[in-house]
Amino acid sequence: MHRRLLALVAALSALPLALAAAPAAHAADPTTMTSGFYVDPDSSAKRWVAANPGDGRASAINASIANTPTARWFGSWSGTIGTATGAYTGAADARDKLPVLVAYNIYNRDYCGGHSAGGASSPSAYRSWIAQFAGGIAARPAVVVLEPDSLGDYGCMSQAQIDERESMLTGALAEFNRQAPNTWVYLDAGNPAWASAATMARRLHEAGVRQAHGFSLNVSNYLTTAENTAYGNAVNRELSARYGYTKPFVVDTSRNGNGSNGQWCNPSGRRIGTPTQLGGGAEMLLWIKVPGESDGNCGVGGGSSAGQFLPEVAYKMIYGY
């Protein structure tokens, strides 16, 4: 019997009969409903290793990257989104593992940075997409990182565009609360080098983080876990002082083993970080960005497109050179 079912039976048997029929929404902890994190069997690293078994780099990439639990990103490339999230979380659930998903399709995505520009065609299209995303997960246990960069990417946006974005995020969180009760959603909060803790706390609050399980840090970036933990704690101090609540946070450690050299777009000399785990100074340390996937046509990924798997970059990242 799945651990999730055993936990549910135990919880219901301890409740008064009147309450047992209506368990409280979001009482569940997806980390205790599963037995460890899900390894994406179709990640870019897995696919490359399978297609290049004779390559001298394949063994190291397989051992150090391809078999570490890493998030799967969902966007316009994912086809019918509810079908895609349902299939992915269903496959993880069948193995009693916890999947990590990234929702990356907000209208005007990467509006100021541009390397990953795109997203839904309108705010209403995004609302429909994210509702189907949540509906596909349904009651299965999952972790979702919601829209990386969306709260950091304000530098060139008008107040009307910012208000529109915050409305989309608040609406997204409401959909997960309504449709995916066993999902922990982390609203992305950029990284310590992007906005002050006070600024990010205000943006998180205005985008509805009170409705989320928590917030995520360092997605696709390189700053150390210690730097991110200090920043997350500072954001929580601001949330507490201004609004009277705090939230758990997770840190993307996939590429922060050597810290940052100040560049964010395919910098050289970076290294993989602590593998996906519970704890570690944050609620979880997660590999959210696949090591070796390009940040765009820049740095050591010159000539590549964002998301393209670059085996030489992945190989060097294992050893930190």
Side-chain angles (χ1 to χ4, degrees):
M1 185 181 291
H2 272 200
R3 183 179 304 195
R4 186 177 84 224
L5 189 54
L6 288 170
L8 181 61
V9 169
L12 291 178
S13 65
L15 288 172
L17 196 57
L19 296 177
H26 280 260
D29 175 349
T31 68
T32 63
M33 296 165 67
T34 48
S35 59
F37 292 92
Y38 185 52
V39 175
D40 182 354
D42 194 41
S43 69
S44 57
K46 279 270 193 189
R47 289 198 307 270
W48 182 85
V49 168
N52 297 276
D55 191 295
R57 301 165 295 188
S59 177
I61 291 173
N62 187 56
S64 297
I65 295 176
N67 286 296
T68 298
T70 308
R72 179 181 287 191
W73 293 56
F74 293 82
S76 59
W77 58 86
S78 302
T80 303
I81 189 60
T83 302
T85 57
Y88 192 64
T89 54
D93 193 39
R95 292 161 179 78
D96 198 31
K97 299 296 183 183
L98 180 61
V100 181
L101 299 79
V102 179
Y104 196 53
N105 196 43
I106 201 161
Y107 173 64
N108 276 341
R109 188 182 69 210
D110 200 17
Y111 187 68
C112 301
H115 279 284
S116 297
S121 60
S122 67
S124 61
Y126 181 71
R127 284 190 288 271
S128 174
W129 185 87
I130 202 69
Q132 293 171 55
F133 188 116
I137 297 172
R140 301 181 187 95
V143 166
V144 170
V145 175
L146 184 61
E147 298 300 339
D149 304 343
S150 58
L151 295 184
D153 190 39
Y154 279 12
C156 68
M157 296 172 69
S158 69
Q159 189 58 48
Q161 289 173 316
I162 291 169
D163 293 344
E164 180 179 68
R165 174 165 291 184
E166 290 176 347
S167 176
M168 284 186 280
L169 293 169
T170 301
L173 292 168
E175 287 294 343
F176 283 103
N177 286 341
R178 184 173 71 86
Q179 297 193 74
N182 298 319
T183 293
W184 278 358
V185 180
Y186 297 89
L187 181 56
D188 190 62
N191 62 69
W194 210 341
S196 71
T199 295
M200 187 51 68
R202 176 175 53 80
R203 292 179 184 178
L204 282 166
H205 180 74
E206 290 175 352
V209 78
R210 191 191 291 266
Q211 296 183 66
H213 179 74
F215 57 93
S216 54
L217 297 173
N218 206 48
V219 173
S220 299
N221 214 290
Y222 302 89
L223 296 160
T224 65
T225 302
E227 288 173 298
N228 279 283
T229 299
Y231 180 70
N233 291 335
V235 169
N236 268 327
R237 285 194 294 273
E238 295 287 343
L239 286 173
S240 178
R242 294 178 181 214
Y243 310 113
Y245 64 92
T246 62
K247 288 290 181 178
F249 60 90
V250 297
V251 177
D252 184 355
T253 56
S254 60
R255 308 189 296 179
N256 74 349
N258 278 349
S260 172
N261 66 355
Q263 300 171 13
W264 67 268
C265 200
N266 295 323
S268 62
R270 299 313 93 204
R271 190 168 194 161
I272 58 175
T274 303
T276 294
Q277 65 172 62
L278 296 173
E283 185 166 49
M284 303 181 216
L285 305 181
L286 300 174
W287 279 22
I288 299 173
K289 173 77 171 183
V290 177
E293 281 193 358
S294 175
D295 295 317
N297 181 12
C298 51
V300 295
S304 68
S305 56
Q308 181 180 346
F309 187 74
L310 305 174
E312 187 62 16
V313 172
Y315 184 74
K316 289 180 176 178
M317 207 171 278
I318 293 167
Y319 301 104
Y321 57 78

